[in-house]
Amino acid sequence: MTPLLKAQQVAIDGRLSPADLEVDAGQMVAVVGPNGAGKTSLLRALAGIELDSGGVSIDGEDIASASPARRMHLLSFLPATRGLVWPINARDVIGLGLPTRDPERVDELIELLELDPLANRPVNSLSTGERSRVLLARALAAKPQVLLLDEPLSNLDPYWVIKTLQIVREATVYGCAVLASLHDLAQMRAFDRAILVNEGTVAADRTPMELMHSPELADAFRIESSGEGWRISPAADRRSSR
Ligand SMILES: Nc1ncnc2c1ncn2[C@@H]1O[C@H](COP(=O)(O)OP(=O)(O)OP(=O)(O)O)[C@@H](O)[C@H]1O
């Protein structure tokens, strides 16, 4: 099977060491790692937002040479920051994810994300979780082949965590590939594959269950499993801050 997303030696100077990555159509990949490890940097490099070297192709198409409209169909990037300062209504923000005006598609997304009561409110008046749903709707709008989601589940209540995972899984049914950074390691279970980023490198690439129980994960996070949960690894206390 030819991978849908192919990244070769993507790097950001001083933050992300050259990384190769291949993701198949229909695959959901979790990206985990400690604070400052390079998860956002990796996603931004894959989106071509910041890329000092290397290249990314989607379905054989180099994203660097795609027009802005074409890029919207190839990929979308959901930023981790939900700080929308524009006094623009939610409906119009969702429309920004489309290369051409398409009110019917915007209505579909408003229904999917249950945004009807919020659609005509300025986004800078919405709660953080509400803004997350508006931004997810914008990211989904053009039905991109690759979704790069930076902390899509942060700020969401349990209903919206489950619902967001369902919506993203449904996107894979039409062949979309998904990479999503997470902080809650338990959420990895909803994914097909999990990548550990540590100190600017891809340190492991496994099934979620394998990664969950790997020494690389425990070492990167300086934690160890304890019954049903996690505790700080005794070795971490002896290490100076890295
Ligand atoms: N614009 C920037 N300029 C310089 N260094 C940056 C910039 N953005 C991030 N960094 C640094 O790059 C490293 C990786 O940051 P990145 O945001 O990719 O980590 P992350 O894994 O997403 O972290 P978190 O879990 O805290 O969101 C960090 O050391 C960070 O301080």
Side-chain angles (χ1 to χ4, degrees):
M1 187 176 185
T2 311
L4 176 65
L5 173 84
K6 196 164 180 181
Q8 287 178 303
Q9 295 291 291
V10 290
I12 303 176
D13 295 344
R15 284 159 56 195
L16 182 68
S17 303
D20 292 331
L21 192 64
E22 295 188 350
V23 183
D24 293 334
Q27 197 168 45
M28 272 174 73
V29 182
V31 180
V32 299
N35 288 135
K39 302 178 296 298
T40 297
S41 303
L42 175 64
L43 294 174
R44 286 173 68 86
L46 294 175
I49 298 168
E50 280 185 277
L51 190 58
D52 290 325
S53 56
V56 180
S57 65
I58 295 175
D59 206 10
E61 200 171 331
D62 179 3
I63 62 164
S65 47
S67 68
R70 178 70 190 142
R71 274 177 62 92
M72 282 185 171
H73 291 298
L74 290 178
L75 68 95
S76 67
F77 173 73
L78 173 77
T81 168
R82 315 288 192 244
L84 297 174
V85 291
W86 322 309
I88 306 173
N89 72 34
R91 175 183 295 278
D92 293 339
V93 170
I94 297 168
L96 293 174
L98 289 160
T100 52
R101 207 174 157 277
D102 186 349
E104 279 178 20
R105 176 67 181 146
V106 173
D107 284 341
E108 249 175 55
L109 289 155
I110 287 171
E111 194 183 332
L112 182 69
L113 275 300
E114 301 177 23
L115 288 166
D116 204 36
L118 312 174
N120 295 315
R121 286 197 24 209
V123 283
N124 58 348
S125 75
L126 301 181
S127 79
T128 312
E130 290 168 347
R131 272 181 270 139
S132 297
R133 280 152 56 199
V134 173
L135 288 173
L136 179 64
R138 185 182 68 167
L140 294 166
K143 298 187 177 174
Q145 295 191 62
V146 174
L147 282 169
L148 301 166
L149 309 175
D150 201 0
E151 300 188 30
L153 306 178
S154 298
N155 315 116
L156 298 180
D157 66 37
Y159 173 91
W160 279 106
V161 168
I162 296 167
K163 185 87 177 173
T164 299
L165 285 167
Q166 274 176 4
I167 289 169
V168 169
R169 178 60 76 183
E170 277 159 25
T172 67
V173 172
Y174 66 78
C176 184
V178 179
L179 284 102
S181 66
L182 307 171
H183 277 296
D184 182 345
L185 298 177
Q187 290 168 346
M188 280 198 292
R189 292 194 183 94
F191 289 75
D192 306 313
R193 175 177 161 195
I195 287 174
L196 172 69
V197 179
N198 193 26
E199 298 180 348
T201 64
V202 175
D205 184 349
R206 310 265 167 83
T207 66
M209 286 314 280
E210 281 168 356
L211 186 64
M212 187 82 88
H213 299 292
S214 70
E216 289 95 334
L217 183 113
D219 185 57
F221 282 99
R222 298 184 290 162
I223 55 175
E224 58 183 28
S225 58
S226 144
E228 291 296 294
W230 299 94
R231 67 178 172 216
I232 290 176
S233 157
D237 292 338
R238 292 195 290 274
R239 274 186 247 172
S240 56
S241 167
R242 301 194 280 193

